[in-house]
Amino acid sequence: MRISTSKSEAMVLDRKKVECLLRVKEEILPQVEEFKYLGVLFTSEGRMEREIDRRIGAASTVMRTLHRSIVVKRELSRKAKLSIYRSIFVPTLTYGHELWVMTERTRSRVQAAEMSFLRRVAGLSLRDRVRSSAIREELGVESLLLRVERSQIGWLGHLVRMPPGRLPGEVFRACPSGKRPPGRPRTRWRDYVSRLAWERLGIPPDELEEAAGEREVWASLLRLLPPRPDPG
C-alpha cells in the first residue's frame, strides 16, 4: 500500500489529548484534532455535535443565498420553491444523518432551520404565529425530523440483518473491553437508536434484533412512524 504523506494526517480518538507519532519512513504525519472524510467532520473526541452544527450552518447559508435570489421571487411558483427545498436544502442539512446522535438541542436546531425555509416558501413569519405542523400540512411537506429518525431506524435494520463478516455490522455488534473513565458514559449510537426504536416503535431493546430481522415487517413499521408533536 502506498501512502501520500502530503495528504495524510493522524488523529487519536480519546477524551483526552494523546500524542501520537505516526512515522512513514522518515516523515512524521501531522496530528490533528479533526478532519473531514467523505464530507463528514470527525473529531478526536468522537462526538457528532460539531458535524451536526456544521450541517445546520451550511444549510442556513444555502437558505440565505437562495432567499436573496430565488425563494422570495413572486414569479416563482410554490412548487418550484419546494423542489429547491427538497433537492438542495434538505440534502445539505441531512448529509450523513443516519449516524447522528440527536439531543433535544439538535432536534430543536434542525427544526428551526427547516421551518425558517418553509415559512419563507409559505410567505409567513414567526409573527404570524402559525404552527409548524399547519405550515407543513399546507405545503405537503413531511417533517424533517421524521425523515431523519426513519432513516436512522432503517439503517439500524440494515445493520442487524448484515451477515457476519460485514464491517459495519461487526462494528455495530462490537463490545470494546477495558475500563471506562469516571463520570457519566457517553451515549453510543447503538444505545441512542435502540432507545429511539423503543420510544417511536414500542420495540424493547431485547426484541430489537428479532423485529428488525424481518425486512418487510420493519419497512412497514417505518412507513407508519408518526411525526413528533410540535413543541408548544
Side-chain angles (χ1 to χ4, degrees):
M1 182 176 65
R2 292 185 177 183
I3 296 177
S4 173
T5 54
S6 62
K7 299 178 181 179
S8 300
E9 297 172 332
M11 189 177 77
V12 178
L13 290 174
D14 199 286
R15 293 190 181 190
K16 299 179 181 179
K17 189 172 182 179
V18 177
E19 186 176 0
C20 174
L21 297 179
L22 188 59
R23 187 187 301 273
V24 178
K25 291 188 176 180
E26 300 302 321
E27 293 190 53
I28 297 177
L29 299 183
Q31 184 176 349
V32 297
E33 300 298 316
E34 62 182 40
F35 72 89
K36 292 180 187 177
Y37 180 69
L38 297 179
V40 177
L41 181 69
F42 294 88
T43 67
S44 59
E45 294 181 340
R47 295 179 178 272
M48 292 300 295
E49 284 88 345
R50 290 192 60 188
E51 167 60 11
I52 298 174
D53 289 344
R54 197 174 69 89
R55 300 313 314 175
I56 293 172
S60 298
T61 300
V62 168
M63 181 188 65
R64 288 192 296 269
T65 303
L66 294 177
H67 175 70
R68 288 194 297 266
S69 58
I70 296 176
V71 178
V72 295
K73 286 190 175 182
R74 294 184 178 180
E75 60 270 23
L76 196 66
S77 68
R78 178 176 286 185
K79 182 179 179 180
K81 293 176 182 179
L82 288 175
S83 295
I84 294 170
Y85 167 79
R86 294 188 180 99
S87 62
I88 300 178
F89 180 81
V90 172
T92 301
L93 177 57
T94 61
Y95 181 80
H97 67 273
E98 291 85 355
L99 295 182
W100 289 356
V101 174
M102 301 284 284
T103 63
E104 290 304 318
R105 171 185 172 274
T106 52
R107 286 193 183 98
S108 178
R109 293 202 63 205
V110 167
Q111 182 171 337
E114 169 202 19
M115 294 313 303
S116 182
F117 195 107
L118 292 180
R119 284 192 190 93
R120 285 170 168 82
V121 174
L124 299 170
S125 69
L126 285 172
R127 289 188 295 271
D128 295 307
R129 301 183 68 84
V130 179
R131 293 186 68 88
S132 300
S133 56
I135 295 174
R136 293 193 200 97
E137 184 177 355
E138 179 187 348
L139 299 177
V141 174
E142 182 182 67
S143 167
L144 197 56
L145 287 177
L146 176 60
R147 171 178 175 160
V148 168
E149 290 181 343
R150 184 182 292 126
S151 295
Q152 291 176 328
I153 298 174
W155 178 239
L156 169 64
H158 288 309
L159 291 173
V160 169
R161 293 189 299 270
M162 278 186 183
R166 290 286 303 277
L167 182 58
E170 295 295 329
V171 172
F172 173 70
R173 297 184 181 90
C175 295
S177 59
K179 187 177 180 181
R180 287 186 173 183
R184 179 181 177 181
R186 292 180 181 173
T187 301
R188 301 177 301 175
W189 182 84
R190 176 173 180 166
D191 299 330
Y192 159 76
V193 76
S194 298
R195 185 172 64 247
L196 184 64
W198 194 0
E199 292 175 355
R200 307 288 277 122
L201 298 177
I203 301 175
D206 57 345
E207 299 177 11
L208 192 59
E209 294 208 12
E210 181 180 355
E214 298 292 336
R215 184 187 299 270
E216 295 302 323
V217 174
W218 196 249
S220 65
L221 288 173
L222 293 181
R223 286 193 293 268
L224 297 174
L225 190 69
R228 290 179 181 266
D230 288 328

